[in-house]
Amino acid sequence: MNSVNLSAVLSTVSEPWQPATVARFNGNEVMVAKAMGSYAWHRHEDTDDFFLVLKGNITIEMRDRSVRLGAGEMFVVPRGVEHRPVATEEAHFILIEPPGTAKDGTTLV
């Protein structure tokens, strides 16, 4: 087992919204990703969606409200809730999800 340098892993990520798995624990994947622009509206029917911002700001838009997250802040979108993350400038974040979770859940228009 080795430590993981998240900055080093993120330096290899070139596309926004394309997570890279950095570890697994208790059957879940820990992933890092970059955010830029808007992601598609979607929901996850069977899993919550965990976001922990490492750098920058990400707004989690939901149909009834928005939650703005800065570095060091986290938010869990409950399963079944339609949402889309938005970053007006590049941001870095951590996701924790069960393996095989579709990154866009069910995409909505």
Side-chain angles (χ1 to χ4, degrees):
M1 229 161 122
N2 296 314
S3 64
V4 177
N5 183 314
L6 298 178
S7 295
V9 174
L10 282 159
S11 72
T12 69
V13 175
S14 59
E15 294 296 320
W17 311 114
Q18 299 299 312
T21 300
V22 295
R24 289 179 174 78
F25 85 100
N26 294 331
N28 292 296
E29 292 182 330
V30 178
M31 298 168 280
V32 293
K34 293 180 179 178
M36 183 62 196
S38 299
Y39 198 67
W41 280 100
H42 66 285
R43 67 175 163 250
H44 302 272
E45 294 297 337
D46 300 322
T47 64
D48 300 324
D49 211 356
F50 173 93
F51 294 88
L52 170 60
V53 176
L54 299 171
K55 175 183 170 187
N57 296 288
I58 298 175
T59 299
I60 309 296
E61 295 181 347
M62 293 163 281
R63 298 296 184 179
D64 64 341
R65 68 186 178 118
S66 295
V67 175
R68 183 175 166 87
L69 303 172
E73 295 181 309
M74 59 159 277
F75 183 71
V76 176
V77 179
R79 69 190 71 201
V81 173
E82 296 176 37
H83 64 284
R84 76 171 179 172
V86 177
T88 57
E89 296 180 2
E90 184 176 276
H92 300 170
F93 65 104
I94 292 176
L95 295 165
I96 300 174
E97 297 178 341
T101 300
K103 301 305 173 236
D104 66 350
T106 302
T107 300
L108 306 165
V109 178

